[in-house]
Amino acid sequence: MKIRRMTAFAAGLLAAVAAARAEEGMWLFSDPPRAQLKAAYGFDLTDSWLTHLMRSSVRFDSGGSGSFVSGDGLVITNHHVGLDSLQKLSTAGKNYARDGFYAGTPAEEVKCLDLELNVLQSVEDVTSRVNAGVPPAATGNDAAEARRKVIADIEKESRDRTGLRSDVVTLYQGGAYHLYRYKRYTDIRLVFAPEQQAAFFGGDPDNFEYPRYDLDICLFRVYENGQPLHPADYLKWSASGARDGDLVFVSGNPGRTDRLLTVPELEFMRDVQFPMQLGLLNRWEVLLAAWSARSDENARRARDDLFGIQNTRKLRDGALAALQDPAFMGARQIAEDNFKQRLRDRPDSAAALAAFRRIAVAQGITARNYLRYRYLELGSGFFSDSFSIARELLRAGDERPKPNGERLKEYGDARRESLELDLFSDRPIYTDLEILTLGDSLTDLTEKLGYDDPTVQEILDGKSPRTRAADLILGTRVRDVAFRRKLYDGGSAAAAAAQDPMIELARSIDDEARSLRKTVESQDEVKQQAQAVIGKARFEVEGTSTYPDATFTLRLAYGTVKGYEENGVPVPSLTTLAGLYERAANHHDREPFDLPPRWEEKKAALDLGTPLNFVSTCDIIGGNSGSPTVNRAGEFVGIIFDGNIESLSSDFGYLDTQSRAVSVHSAGIIEALRKVYGVDALADELVTGHRP
Amino acid sequence: MKIRRMTAFAAGLLAAVAAARAEEGMWLFSDPPRAQLKAAYGFDLTDSWLTHLMRSSVRFDSGGSGSFVSGDGLVITNHHVGLDSLQKLSTAGKNYARDGFYAGTPAEEVKCLDLELNVLQSVEDVTSRVNAGVPPAATGNDAAEARRKVIADIEKESRDRTGLRSDVVTLYQGGAYHLYRYKRYTDIRLVFAPEQQAAFFGGDPDNFEYPRYDLDICLFRVYENGQPLHPADYLKWSASGARDGDLVFVSGNPGRTDRLLTVPELEFMRDVQFPMQLGLLNRWEVLLAAWSARSDENARRARDDLFGIQNTRKLRDGALAALQDPAFMGARQIAEDNFKQRLRDRPDSAAALAAFRRIAVAQGITARNYLRYRYLELGSGFFSDSFSIARELLRAGDERPKPNGERLKEYGDARRESLELDLFSDRPIYTDLEILTLGDSLTDLTEKLGYDDPTVQEILDGKSPRTRAADLILGTRVRDVAFRRKLYDGGSAAAAAAQDPMIELARSIDDEARSLRKTVESQDEVKQQAQAVIGKARFEVEGTSTYPDATFTLRLAYGTVKGYEENGVPVPSLTTLAGLYERAANHHDREPFDLPPRWEEKKAALDLGTPLNFVSTCDIIGGNSGSPTVNRAGEFVGIIFDGNIESLSSDFGYLDTQSRAVSVHSAGIIEALRKVYGVDALADELVTGHRP
């Protein structure tokens, strides 16, 4: 049950409407905004400053960001980024997520089950080689396959040569391809987590709100060859931290933005994709909230999924509101019309105008296939870990014998280790929760595709959705890791011989699911090619240099620590520990505004004026969770963990009046570690950069 | 914001599949199951026993049941039936629903704002007059209008002659029409309510579950001419109450069942209606739960709506599960095929076979119009009291000048007083909650009907859904009762002159909404006529006497106090006060398993072995909430408040193995009133039948 966390953030004007505003932008480290920073802030961005920040930054492959904060391999990220690992370590008897954790000695540090960290080492422009690999006459699937093949070749070559994880990243809607090389770390051990009550104080009601009072941090240590890593680059800790008016930078991995989409693509999201997603999220939220209320153990089992669902639901709500706002869509339509008019006024722009038309046609084809694609291929009809694993086993058997370039992307050689780490993870999977979610998904699938649909009839096998779900979950063996290993090693013959009911279910829909995927990915390819043509024309017409849409790769954002106004009331940039206690009191210390007992006990010892959270105008989005916020000196002054509610449309554009990124303050972190948790050794390591 | 409470219940075989099983049936008081009771229980059902029970039974016009339990006008119902009134009396300072209430003296009894109780006085068969009023050649709308007119005439005549509320009820799918005459009472005063924590202990998680531990009661006193009513009939209280194995009866107003539907009609519910409703319920539940979590006051304001939504959501989930179960639908299909085959084997059955085909065609027309009908006419796109009131004002102005028989049903003379009671109620309406729900509904409307739909464009008036909602709610004056009176009295001219934005919105969609209603109601008429033909043929073929589908009119059910098995584990028929304390302890006394403080304080004083709740096999459904459960002697032994989860498909059929009706036990009520609440005077009134 993976809901990729998408804690969103950000702010600024629509990239498609005008040139980037002052503080808009998720800039490439290979093409940073030197001129803008010099002009607006008198700041000289040097190569050494930039490289140091890049090598100090860490990507959590599970969907977040972090940074090295000591020379002994300590990595800081958000509690909600670490939550996936905390959850997988937890049992009915020991709840790392709820109760928190501290390892006083290295021996007490707990190894995570399937966590992978990536540290970017270098970036190489491979655009010309990728383009050369696609014959000029190729279109649609042929072009996509040719491109997939050359990309797989580049990744494999790089990996074989350097030993580094090597990913070719598509930038500027296919205008550029860059090869990103990462050091991978997989021996990651938990050092410290606060109680979830402290990390996520205010819970879902306060999520995306400001002022905030969250200690949303989690600390891990990276090991290599059984020893703590001693990274050459790590961030120096700023004890005073961020102040109002400071210039600050954010270095992290924004997951995805869609700021250059054409109007038909936005309309598809508005009319098809987001309504469908919100329907799913609402029903899952109701399902898991109702089940969680039945017992403490249910709540523990569902907590991670439920949080992810609530989080994504707020995000999609916010984005849909922007797309349904005539002020937004009208502006986008006018900007697109104006751009097309400027194209018409120029020679040689027929190709770009035709590209706009091709996108509209392709989007229409995707729209017509989207429902079945979402339920059958993206798996919305089969919400369960058991189904995901069963399909992975089936497809691994079918895909791995093929040449690398011809496989479905996730079975490529470059992703093999990540796939295996996930597939063989010993994380707990709960039979009761699996029956619940699969039963509900099959019910939903039957509603949406229709009871009489032949595929639905085949899936249900003559049973009711809930009975079928129970039979499948109780009958499958895929929750046994040894079984998974055996089938993975044995390939498609072993998968067939096992006669596992869940694998056979995945097999029964695989032809249709693959065919839907091919249809949708072909349209993506058409759009990608068309967008590359438009992107080129846009560059010729507008002549401006800007940043590409986010791609879950390392980016640099910058901005000012700055409050804002809401309904005429000023919201200051910083909150303090005193504010945390006030908010708890105003809610009678009731969940989710209850403080962990030690926070009540230690209140008198605290300097209540210490800053706890702060906002800045930096341009960020989901995936930036855990990103370090640094000052001019490159020192760690805070850690990004959220955006305010006004920032929820940042997927499509940066609007700078109210949107803000929210960080935990470095001074608040040290005050809490020393006075509330009494973990001076850890605080000393952060402040001095070395384990005492 | 009315979600008609539909707390469902019930159990037994499908009426359409076979003759009624032993304990199936919601029997007419005018045609009770004397023979079955004699045969199965040796019980002689006398006219005087029946009439006494009928006149002791009370219908809550807001959607529930109750009974007179003292000669001084005391009426008992469920807390969740009284909740609507408790909520309307509450303010930010005094929360009757949460904290409960007790009036120690008559002067302290609080008058409810718009509560109407009905006591059935007589039933008259008017089938031949109704049928005579519809010309044999008339079909579709013509027939419907003719029938509406003759029904309106009968109701008006009866009302003018007797002064009683007079409703013509359609029974047996149009096979019979009965005139029900009620005494109406509108001066209803609150006497006692427990805390909602005690009434609804276990909250949504325990709703529809068993074992249960709820004191789901609420007591009102009926006044007439400013004095307490002294009803000739009221139920004698049984101090010992129900025991395992007892024969018991339930007298109440089951709201609606659909046990004689044809397969195409069931398919419409399965494929169109229920999925759409569940989508709405899920999104409203998420919306109100998230908003409620933001503050105590939000939670108080949304509590009634949220409870109603969660309740209905569980119901629809349960019903949809039955409809998606091939065991259920397959049996229905076979039964229908068999019946048609028997028809084909007989002469003169062409009309009945044709009627089946007409139903299928009519259902298809409804299905194609259902989305717009639901959002525009049923108001799902405008979830707010303000819109409901605005439309009522608009339509009252347009409808009232028409002849009675030509009006939309809810504006008929017979319903005038009820309409005015609702329209001029001074119940609180919260601006913030109105903006929230209307904003979300307009968002949903835009998703479902499409951003570019001309009606949607007209509704949104160039604004985003949320902005438009805020403008409408802040701009309308319909939340001012004096304004409503003025417009109602002034008719359509006053409504037009007011230029109220919400009324103008209702006006702008009224042509389309009325046209959709006409289309759907015409199909309902076609189906109704066809069902009457089938019903007649069914009677000829099957020759059995049975009960009609429920119609929110008084019915008699009977059954046995009896436990059941769940996953092989026996569930006993009765629970005790001891069980209540155990369940609270198992949940750490955390909401919704927390006990009110006085329940903790008084625990030692209680006889913990006293029965609290019990189950019986009586056949009931939503609307039966608050029905008295009586023994052979006609004494009050308990009060219905729920059905277990196995009973959720009882809308379509009674299945007797596990479905159970759940009551509060009469002994538990007295023990709690005396020992926990210390209201001996009230307990004495119940036990002796008169105020001490």
Side-chain angles (χ1 to χ4, degrees):
Chain A
M1 304 183 191
K2 282 182 212 156
I3 301 295
R4 166 65 56 97
R5 67 182 54 73
M6 297 279 287
T7 317
F9 320 91
L13 191 78
L14 312 177
V17 175
R21 281 202 191 170
E23 297 174 343
E24 174 179 353
M26 302 170 181
W27 302 89
L28 297 172
F29 272 68
S30 49
D31 193 8
R34 292 184 208 273
Q36 293 91 325
L37 281 165
K38 181 71 183 170
Y41 292 95
F43 180 76
D44 286 310
L45 192 61
T46 65
D47 285 346
S48 62
W49 189 97
L50 207 58
T51 304
H52 173 69
L53 183 57
M54 176 180 98
R55 298 232 167 109
S56 301
S57 300
V58 172
R59 184 173 78 165
F60 280 66
D61 196 42
S62 54
S65 301
S67 57
F68 283 116
V69 282
S70 100
D72 296 313
L74 207 56
V75 164
I76 192 166
T77 185
N78 293 146
H79 188 277
H80 78 266
V81 171
L83 186 58
D84 186 48
S85 298
L86 299 176
Q87 186 84 11
K88 286 172 182 168
L89 291 174
S90 295
T91 59
K94 183 154 183 64
N95 192 324
Y96 288 87
R98 186 188 64 202
D99 303 330
F101 176 76
Y102 173 59
T105 64
E108 293 172 70
E109 296 175 2
V110 188
K111 188 168 172 179
C112 298
L113 291 182
D114 56 3
L115 183 58
E116 173 177 329
L117 303 192
N118 304 134
V119 180
L120 184 59
Q121 301 297 312
S122 69
V123 175
E124 187 184 331
D125 189 336
V126 293
T127 309
S128 50
R129 183 167 165 201
V130 171
N131 287 341
V134 182
T139 57
N141 281 329
D142 294 340
E145 270 173 36
R147 184 173 302 106
R148 197 153 48 229
K149 184 175 180 317
V150 63
I151 285 175
D153 289 346
I154 293 170
E155 290 176 343
K156 184 166 189 311
E157 270 177 35
S158 167
R159 196 173 179 297
D160 291 346
R161 187 164 59 77
T162 63
L164 297 173
R165 172 170 174 160
S166 300
D167 297 347
V168 170
V169 181
T170 305
L171 300 168
Y172 295 105
Q173 275 65 34
Y177 297 89
H178 288 185
L179 173 61
Y180 277 59
R181 292 194 184 94
Y182 299 96
K183 280 217 67 160
R184 288 176 72 236
Y185 298 102
T186 55
D187 184 355
I188 315 298
R189 306 191 188 174
L190 178 64
V191 176
F192 174 83
E195 308 85 344
Q196 190 165 17
Q197 282 164 280
F200 194 45
F201 176 80
D204 189 50
D206 268 9
N207 199 15
F208 301 121
E209 305 286 343
Y210 200 76
R212 283 286 277 288
Y213 310 92
D214 289 358
L215 187 72
D216 194 355
I217 63 165
C218 192
L219 288 136
F220 295 94
R221 196 180 303 282
V222 176
Y223 280 68
E224 201 173 35
N225 305 320
Q227 295 298 318
L229 182 75
H230 300 291
D233 292 283
Y234 64 90
L235 299 179
K236 190 169 175 307
W237 194 272
S238 165
S240 59
R243 291 161 311 178
D244 192 66
D246 277 0
L247 166 65
V248 289
F249 303 85
V250 171
S251 170
N253 302 276
R256 182 196 165 96
T257 54
D258 296 288
R259 296 188 183 176
L260 289 170
L261 291 179
T262 61
V263 169
E265 291 168 287
L266 293 171
E267 287 173 341
F268 166 75
M269 290 184 179
R270 183 192 66 195
D271 300 336
V272 180
Q273 186 183 4
F274 287 4
M276 204 182 294
Q277 284 182 4
L278 278 164
L280 284 161
L281 292 165
N282 283 333
R283 84 178 282 147
W284 291 342
E285 182 167 342
V286 166
L287 181 78
L288 294 182
W291 191 72
S292 295
R294 299 274 303 151
S295 81
D296 295 353
E297 177 60 11
N298 285 5
R300 188 186 70 77
R301 293 180 179 197
R303 181 176 297 242
D304 199 13
D305 282 334
L306 185 55
F307 170 61
I309 287 164
Q310 290 174 324
N311 208 358
T312 310
R313 180 255 305 160
K314 275 203 184 187
L315 271 171
R316 287 286 170 276
D317 264 347
L320 185 60
L323 292 172
Q324 287 189 342
D325 189 342
F328 180 95
M329 284 297 273
R332 291 298 286 253
Q333 184 73 60
I334 289 167
E336 189 166 304
D337 290 347
N338 287 347
F339 178 60
K340 285 184 187 169
Q341 192 53 54
R342 291 179 71 182
L343 283 178
R344 279 186 209 99
D345 295 343
R346 296 165 59 96
D348 298 335
S349 59
L353 287 165
F356 273 106
R357 291 192 294 273
R358 279 206 306 279
I359 288 175
V361 171
Q363 196 61 67
I365 294 171
T366 294
R368 285 192 292 284
N369 286 279
Y370 192 71
L371 177 72
R372 297 186 81 84
Y373 171 68
R374 170 139 216 120
Y375 277 77
L376 297 176
E377 171 61 22
L378 297 187
S380 293
F382 310 94
F383 181 12
S384 60
D385 272 339
S386 300
F387 176 80
S388 304
I389 294 167
R391 172 181 272 180
E392 276 179 2
L393 290 172
L394 173 76
R395 289 190 170 172
D398 293 341
E399 291 293 305
R400 288 171 67 218
K402 297 180 186 172
N404 188 34
E406 293 174 17
R407 297 180 206 160
L408 294 174
K409 190 170 173 170
E410 61 271 30
Y411 300 96
D413 285 337
R415 286 174 185 76
R416 190 172 59 83
E417 288 183 31
S418 302
L419 172 74
E420 292 175 2
L421 196 64
D422 183 66
L423 195 53
F424 303 137
S425 164
D426 203 11
R427 66 184 179 277
I429 303 174
Y430 303 106
T431 306
D432 53 357
L433 183 54
E434 293 273 288
I435 293 175
L436 181 84
T437 57
L438 183 61
D440 187 71
S441 298
L442 291 180
T443 298
D444 187 26
L445 175 89
T446 305
E447 287 176 28
K448 297 298 188 303
L449 269 55
Y451 183 88
D452 295 323
D453 181 86
T455 303
V456 172
Q457 287 291 318
E458 181 159 5
I459 290 167
L460 295 182
D461 196 25
K463 304 190 178 105
S464 77
R466 291 181 196 178
T467 305
R468 176 66 167 146
D471 289 353
L472 283 166
I473 296 295
L474 296 173
T476 185
R477 294 171 60 199
V478 300
R479 293 192 296 286
D480 171 1
V481 177
F483 178 77
R484 302 207 287 260
R485 276 196 192 278
K486 198 182 109 196
L487 263 54
Y488 183 77
D489 293 342
S492 62
Q499 300 195 311
D500 185 273
M502 193 70 89
I503 295 175
E504 292 313 307
L505 171 68
R507 189 192 308 282
S508 74
I509 63 162
D510 209 43
D511 283 350
E512 184 176 358
R514 281 173 178 265
S515 158
L516 288 160
R517 176 165 170 171
K518 196 163 182 179
T519 300
V520 170
E521 289 187 349
S522 303
Q523 306 319 311
D524 288 346
E525 177 61 30
V526 169
K527 290 192 289 178
Q528 196 175 330
Q529 291 182 7
Q531 273 154 340
V533 172
I534 294 170
K536 188 162 161 283
R538 189 182 297 281
F539 188 84
E540 283 166 12
V541 170
E542 300 187 338
T544 182
S545 154
T546 188
Y547 59 94
D549 268 323
T551 47
F552 196 45
T553 51
L554 197 66
R555 301 295 178 90
L556 184 71
Y558 65 93
T560 307
V561 177
K562 194 164 131 186
Y564 58 104
E565 277 203 358
E566 200 168 46
N567 301 331
V569 181
V571 181
S573 60
L574 285 94
T575 67
T576 63
L577 288 169
L580 167 69
Y581 288 98
E582 280 161 27
R583 187 146 178 81
N586 287 342
H587 283 267
H588 323 290
D589 299 293
R590 274 201 229 124
E591 199 190 342
F593 299 99
D594 51 331
L595 286 166
R598 63 158 64 89
W599 280 80
E600 297 289 2
E601 290 157 20
K602 305 292 184 176
K603 182 177 173 187
L606 286 167
D607 175 356
L608 293 175
T610 309
L612 182 51
N613 290 170
F614 67 94
V615 286
S616 67
T617 59
C618 297
D619 186 4
I620 55 169
I621 201 163
N624 269 118
S625 284
S627 299
T629 312
V630 303
N631 61 16
R632 286 172 183 253
E635 295 167 339
F636 182 100
V637 298
I639 178 169
I640 292 290
F641 74 96
D642 205 0
N644 65 358
I645 204 134
E646 287 84 355
S647 72
L648 290 181
S649 57
S650 61
D651 195 5
F652 313 111
Y654 175 93
L655 300 153
D656 63 354
T657 47
Q658 293 181 300
S659 296
R660 292 294 182 274
V662 189
S663 297
V664 190
H665 195 278
S666 62
I669 294 172
I670 297 296
E671 184 74 1
L673 291 180
R674 289 196 193 283
K675 309 267 184 72
V676 177
Y677 295 95
V679 295
D680 281 312
L682 182 59
D684 289 343
E685 181 173 353
L686 291 172
V687 172
T688 66
H690 286 284
R691 211 154 50 177
Chain B
M1 299 182 195
K2 283 182 211 154
I3 302 296
R4 165 66 59 95
R5 69 182 54 73
M6 296 278 286
T7 316
F9 319 90
L13 190 78
L14 313 177
V17 175
R21 281 203 192 170
E23 296 174 343
E24 174 178 354
M26 301 172 180
W27 301 90
L28 296 172
F29 270 67
S30 49
D31 193 7
R34 293 183 208 272
Q36 292 91 327
L37 281 165
K38 181 71 184 170
Y41 293 95
F43 181 77
D44 287 308
L45 192 62
T46 65
D47 285 346
S48 62
W49 190 98
L50 208 56
T51 305
H52 174 68
L53 182 58
M54 177 180 97
R55 298 234 168 105
S56 301
S57 300
V58 172
R59 185 173 77 164
F60 279 67
D61 196 42
S62 54
S65 302
S67 56
F68 284 117
V69 281
S70 99
D72 295 314
L74 206 55
V75 164
I76 191 165
T77 185
N78 293 144
H79 188 276
H80 79 266
V81 171
L83 185 60
D84 186 50
S85 299
L86 300 175
Q87 186 85 8
K88 285 171 181 167
L89 292 172
S90 296
T91 59
K94 181 151 183 69
N95 192 325
Y96 288 86
R98 187 189 61 202
D99 302 331
F101 175 76
Y102 174 60
T105 66
E108 293 172 70
E109 296 176 359
V110 188
K111 189 169 173 178
C112 299
L113 292 181
D114 56 3
L115 183 58
E116 174 178 329
L117 303 193
N118 304 135
V119 180
L120 184 59
Q121 301 298 310
S122 68
V123 175
E124 187 184 332
D125 189 336
V126 294
T127 310
S128 51
R129 183 169 167 200
V130 172
N131 287 340
V134 182
T139 55
N141 282 331
D142 294 341
E145 270 173 37
R147 184 174 301 108
R148 197 151 49 226
K149 186 173 178 317
V150 64
I151 285 174
D153 290 345
I154 294 169
E155 290 176 345
K156 185 166 188 307
E157 272 177 33
S158 167
R159 197 174 177 297
D160 290 348
R161 186 164 60 80
T162 65
L164 297 171
R165 171 169 175 161
S166 301
D167 297 347
V168 170
V169 181
T170 303
L171 299 168
Y172 296 103
Q173 275 67 31
Y177 297 89
H178 289 183
L179 173 61
Y180 277 61
R181 293 195 183 92
Y182 300 95
K183 281 215 68 160
R184 285 176 72 234
Y185 298 102
T186 55
D187 183 353
I188 315 298
R189 306 193 189 173
L190 177 63
V191 176
F192 174 83
E195 308 86 345
Q196 190 165 17
Q197 281 163 279
F200 194 45
F201 176 80
D204 189 51
D206 267 10
N207 200 13
F208 301 121
E209 305 285 345
Y210 200 77
R212 283 286 276 288
Y213 311 92
D214 289 359
L215 187 72
D216 193 353
I217 62 166
C218 191
L219 288 137
F220 296 93
R221 195 181 303 282
V222 176
Y223 280 69
E224 201 173 35
N225 305 321
Q227 295 300 318
L229 182 74
H230 301 293
D233 292 283
Y234 65 90
L235 298 178
K236 190 169 177 309
W237 194 271
S238 165
S240 58
R243 291 161 310 177
D244 192 67
D246 276 0
L247 166 65
V248 290
F249 302 84
V250 172
S251 169
N253 302 276
R256 182 196 164 97
T257 52
D258 297 288
R259 296 189 182 175
L260 289 171
L261 292 179
T262 61
V263 169
E265 292 169 286
L266 293 171
E267 286 172 342
F268 166 75
M269 291 184 177
R270 182 192 65 196
D271 299 336
V272 180
Q273 186 183 5
F274 287 2
M276 204 182 292
Q277 284 183 4
L278 278 164
L280 284 160
L281 292 164
N282 282 331
R283 83 178 283 147
W284 291 343
E285 182 167 343
V286 166
L287 181 79
L288 294 182
W291 191 71
S292 294
R294 300 275 301 152
S295 80
D296 295 352
E297 177 60 11
N298 286 4
R300 188 186 70 77
R301 292 179 177 197
R303 180 175 298 240
D304 200 13
D305 282 335
L306 185 55
F307 169 60
I309 287 164
Q310 290 173 325
N311 208 356
T312 311
R313 180 254 305 160
K314 275 204 185 186
L315 271 171
R316 288 285 170 277
D317 263 346
L320 185 60
L323 293 172
Q324 286 188 342
D325 190 340
F328 181 95
M329 285 297 272
R332 292 299 285 254
Q333 185 72 60
I334 289 168
E336 190 166 306
D337 290 347
N338 287 346
F339 178 60
K340 286 183 186 169
Q341 192 52 53
R342 292 178 70 182
L343 284 179
R344 278 186 212 101
D345 295 344
R346 293 166 62 95
D348 298 333
S349 59
L353 288 165
F356 273 106
R357 290 192 295 273
R358 281 207 305 280
I359 289 175
V361 171
Q363 196 59 70
I365 294 171
T366 295
R368 286 192 291 284
N369 285 279
Y370 192 71
L371 177 73
R372 297 185 82 84
Y373 171 69
R374 170 139 217 122
Y375 277 78
L376 298 176
E377 171 61 23
L378 296 187
S380 293
F382 310 94
F383 181 14
S384 60
D385 272 339
S386 300
F387 176 81
S388 304
I389 295 167
R391 171 180 275 180
E392 276 179 2
L393 290 172
L394 173 76
R395 289 190 171 174
D398 293 342
E399 292 293 307
R400 289 172 67 218
K402 296 180 187 172
N404 187 35
E406 293 175 17
R407 297 179 206 159
L408 294 173
K409 188 171 175 172
E410 60 272 31
Y411 300 96
D413 285 337
R415 286 175 185 76
R416 189 172 59 82
E417 289 183 28
S418 302
L419 173 74
E420 292 175 3
L421 195 65
D422 182 66
L423 196 53
F424 303 139
S425 163
D426 203 10
R427 65 185 180 276
I429 304 175
Y430 304 106
T431 306
D432 52 358
L433 183 55
E434 293 274 286
I435 293 175
L436 180 84
T437 57
L438 182 61
D440 188 72
S441 302
L442 291 179
T443 298
D444 187 27
L445 175 89
T446 306
E447 287 176 28
K448 297 299 189 303
L449 269 54
Y451 184 88
D452 295 322
D453 180 86
T455 304
V456 172
Q457 288 290 318
E458 181 159 6
I459 291 167
L460 295 181
D461 196 27
K463 303 189 178 107
S464 76
R466 291 180 196 180
T467 305
R468 176 69 167 145
D471 289 354
L472 283 165
I473 297 294
L474 296 173
T476 185
R477 295 171 59 200
V478 299
R479 291 189 299 285
D480 172 359
V481 176
F483 178 77
R484 301 206 287 260
R485 278 193 190 280
K486 200 181 107 196
L487 262 55
Y488 184 77
D489 293 342
S492 63
Q499 300 195 311
D500 185 273
M502 194 69 89
I503 295 174
E504 293 312 307
L505 171 69
R507 189 192 307 282
S508 74
I509 62 161
D510 210 43
D511 283 350
E512 183 175 359
R514 280 172 179 265
S515 157
L516 288 160
R517 176 165 169 170
K518 197 163 180 177
T519 300
V520 170
E521 289 186 350
S522 304
Q523 307 320 310
D524 289 345
E525 178 60 30
V526 169
K527 289 192 289 177
Q528 197 176 330
Q529 291 184 4
Q531 273 154 340
V533 172
I534 294 170
K536 190 164 159 284
R538 189 183 297 282
F539 189 83
E540 284 166 13
V541 170
E542 301 188 336
T544 182
S545 154
T546 187
Y547 60 94
D549 268 323
T551 49
F552 196 46
T553 51
L554 196 66
R555 300 294 178 90
L556 182 72
Y558 65 94
T560 307
V561 177
K562 192 164 131 185
Y564 56 105
E565 276 203 1
E566 201 167 46
N567 301 331
V569 181
V571 181
S573 60
L574 284 95
T575 67
T576 63
L577 287 169
L580 168 69
Y581 288 97
E582 279 162 28
R583 185 146 180 82
N586 287 343
H587 283 266
H588 323 290
D589 299 292
R590 276 201 228 124
E591 200 192 342
F593 299 96
D594 51 331
L595 287 166
R598 63 157 65 89
W599 280 81
E600 298 289 2
E601 290 156 20
K602 304 291 184 178
K603 181 177 175 187
L606 286 166
D607 174 357
L608 293 175
T610 309
L612 182 51
N613 290 171
F614 68 94
V615 286
S616 67
T617 58
C618 297
D619 186 4
I620 55 170
I621 201 163
N624 268 117
S625 284
S627 300
T629 311
V630 304
N631 60 16
R632 287 172 182 252
E635 296 167 337
F636 182 100
V637 297
I639 178 169
I640 292 289
F641 73 98
D642 204 1
N644 66 357
I645 203 135
E646 287 83 356
S647 72
L648 291 179
S649 57
S650 61
D651 195 4
F652 313 112
Y654 175 92
L655 300 154
D656 62 355
T657 47
Q658 293 181 299
S659 296
R660 291 294 182 274
V662 189
S663 297
V664 190
H665 195 279
S666 62
I669 293 173
I670 296 297
E671 183 74 2
L673 291 179
R674 291 198 193 281
K675 309 266 184 73
V676 178
Y677 295 95
V679 295
D680 280 312
L682 182 59
D684 289 344
E685 181 173 355
L686 291 173
V687 172
T688 66
H690 286 285
R691 212 154 49 179

